[in-house]
Amino acid sequence: MPAKRRRVQAQEEEETDEKEASGMKNENDLVSSKYFQSKKMRLLSDFYNKPCIDLAKSFLGQILVRRLPDGTELRGRIVETESYLGGEDEASHSRGGKRTERNVAMYMKPGTIYVYQIYGMYFCMNVSSQGDGAAVLLRSIEPIEGLDTMRKFRNVKRNVQKPLKDKELCNGPSKLCQAFAIEKSLDRQDLANDQSTWLEAGPEILEEDIVSCARIGISAGEWTHKPLRFYIKNNKFVSVRNKAAETSANT
DNA sequence: CATCTGATGTGCT
DNA sequence: GCACATCAGATGA
């Protein structure tokens, strides 16, 4: 029966829709959901101690929490991740076992946050997993709590006032960093112990609701097309959907 | 919808 | 010097 229940949940996601002009619609839906009626449980060290691909899939559905200095808490459900496997993976910062000042967090214990800057102006957030130099990139989050603050952060960073739809707040690795105020200072912090940033257990995602496909923005020979990107099927907050992978996946 | 382009600056060869 | 795990705006179909 859990399978049936989760199917229903997947359908509900399709219905949370274009009424985002009103702003708070989505937030109300999720706040009243089963997750928010239950205890918010922080994920502990053991959770992160698994192989990179397993961790990337396990992240789907979990809740990222950011506690700001003023006490505001931001919450969102992880809906899209990518695996970077380590030495063998030609697309990884740790390819060939390379260690630099920038990427040391990739070699730290599973659950360690790796934040790096890209294109001079953006950040990306990863979490190290089991395996030497292996880490998971967070690519998209479904915002749950603190949407107004997220919108403010995103507008400040973009230096424009154009109103953002809910789905535009965190649907990309650097967008979610802006929305959650994730910066270089979080690099090498431990997601299992940090006071400002952690993960809480969210509703479990069924394997059949996970789409696996090629990573985004990669051109590294045979590693370009390996299915190392994972996202929740039919979720509106994913950055880039892969229709071919969705239809071939299953019924 | 798809494809292109400029912004921007750090890390690494 | 140049590549870069990106984003936003513009353009054409």
Side-chain angles (χ1 to χ4, degrees), chain A residues 81-94:
Chain A
T81 59
E82 282 179 1
S83 281
Y84 287 85
L85 302 186
E88 53 174 340
D89 185 350
E90 288 299 318
S92 173
H93 290 173
S94 55

Side-chain angles (χ1 to χ4, degrees), chain A residues 198-229:
Chain A
W198 64 91
L199 249 51
E200 289 169 354
E204 190 181 345
I205 305 300
L206 274 187
E207 179 74 24
E208 65 183 25
D209 285 323
I210 298 179
V211 178
S212 306
C213 57
R215 292 174 291 188
I216 301 292
I218 300 297
S219 59
E222 58 171 324
W223 290 89
T224 305
H225 300 109
K226 288 187 186 288
L228 294 174
R229 183 166 74 103

Side-chain angles (χ1 to χ4, degrees), chain A residues 14-67:
Chain A
E14 292 197 20
E15 290 159 11
T16 56
D17 236 288
E18 341 284 305
K19 305 147 190 170
E20 294 164 353
S22 60
M24 308 303 283
K25 175 76 169 71
N26 180 57
E27 183 162 15
N28 290 338
D29 286 347
L30 285 159
V31 164
S32 63
S33 74
K34 190 167 35 170
Y35 164 72
F36 270 89
Q37 294 165 14
S38 68
K39 259 219 164 73
K40 293 169 184 169
M41 290 230 312
R42 179 177 187 138
L43 296 173
L44 304 178
S45 227
D46 279 352
F47 174 84
Y48 302 98
N49 192 21
K50 43 173 83 96
C52 193
I53 291 177
D54 292 349
L55 185 62
K57 292 183 179 180
S58 299
F59 271 170
L60 299 179
Q62 313 302 342
I63 313 292
L64 177 68
V65 187
R66 257 305 253 160
R67 184 179 168 84

Side-chain angles (χ1 to χ4, degrees), chain A residues 32-245:
Chain A
S32 63
S33 74
K34 190 167 35 170
Y35 164 72
F36 270 89
Q37 294 165 14
S38 68
K39 259 219 164 73
K40 293 169 184 169
M41 290 230 312
R42 179 177 187 138
L43 296 173
L44 304 178
S45 227
D46 279 352
F47 174 84
Y48 302 98
N49 192 21
K50 43 173 83 96
C52 193
I53 291 177
D54 292 349
L55 185 62
K57 292 183 179 180
S58 299
F59 271 170
L60 299 179
Q62 313 302 342
I63 313 292
L64 177 68
V65 187
R66 257 305 253 160
R67 184 179 168 84
L68 303 175
D70 69 359
T72 304
E73 288 187 354
L74 309 178
R75 278 186 171 78
R77 192 166 72 125
I78 298 172
V79 299
E80 179 184 358
T81 59
E82 282 179 1
S83 281
Y84 287 85
L85 302 186
E88 53 174 340
D89 185 350
E90 288 299 318
S92 173
H93 290 173
S94 55
R95 71 188 80 92
K98 184 169 68 171
R99 285 174 193 253
T100 65
E101 180 62 23
R102 175 175 67 159
N103 74 4
V104 290
M106 299 184 86
Y107 295 89
M108 293 171 69
K109 79 167 184 174
T112 303
I113 300 171
Y114 169 44
V115 176
Y116 68 91
Q117 194 176 18
I118 185 153
Y119 295 103
M121 49 201 324
Y122 300 114
F123 293 107
C124 290
M125 173 177 171
N126 300 252
V127 182
S128 74
S129 69
Q130 211 178 71
D132 210 29
V136 175
L137 171 71
L138 303 189
R139 276 200 60 91
S140 292
I141 284 175
E142 175 176 349
I144 294 175
E145 183 183 328
L147 275 70
D148 292 341
T149 303
M150 295 180 193
R151 215 178 308 273
K152 191 180 68 184
F153 286 160
R154 291 270 289 129
N155 276 329
V156 166
K157 292 293 184 183
R158 300 185 321 138
N159 198 27
V160 253
Q161 293 304 314
K162 171 179 170 282
L164 288 170
K165 297 177 183 174
D166 290 354
K167 64 184 292 188
E168 295 174 314
L169 290 174
C170 310
N171 63 337
S174 297
K175 295 180 189 176
L176 72 87
C177 284
Q178 290 181 348
F180 279 76
I182 290 161
E183 297 175 357
K184 193 69 181 171
S185 59
L186 275 175
D187 187 49
R188 305 179 197 179
Q189 299 305 306
D190 182 2
L191 212 39
N193 291 295
D194 193 81
Q195 295 306 299
S196 75
T197 313
W198 64 91
L199 249 51
E200 289 169 354
E204 190 181 345
I205 305 300
L206 274 187
E207 179 74 24
E208 65 183 25
D209 285 323
I210 298 179
V211 178
S212 306
C213 57
R215 292 174 291 188
I216 301 292
I218 300 297
S219 59
E222 58 171 324
W223 290 89
T224 305
H225 300 109
K226 288 187 186 288
L228 294 174
R229 183 166 74 103
F230 310 99
Y231 65 87
I232 299 177
K233 198 177 193 172
N234 293 328
N235 186 278
K236 294 280 193 293
F237 299 84
V238 166
S239 67
V240 182
R241 291 176 65 171
N242 184 322
K243 278 197 124 181

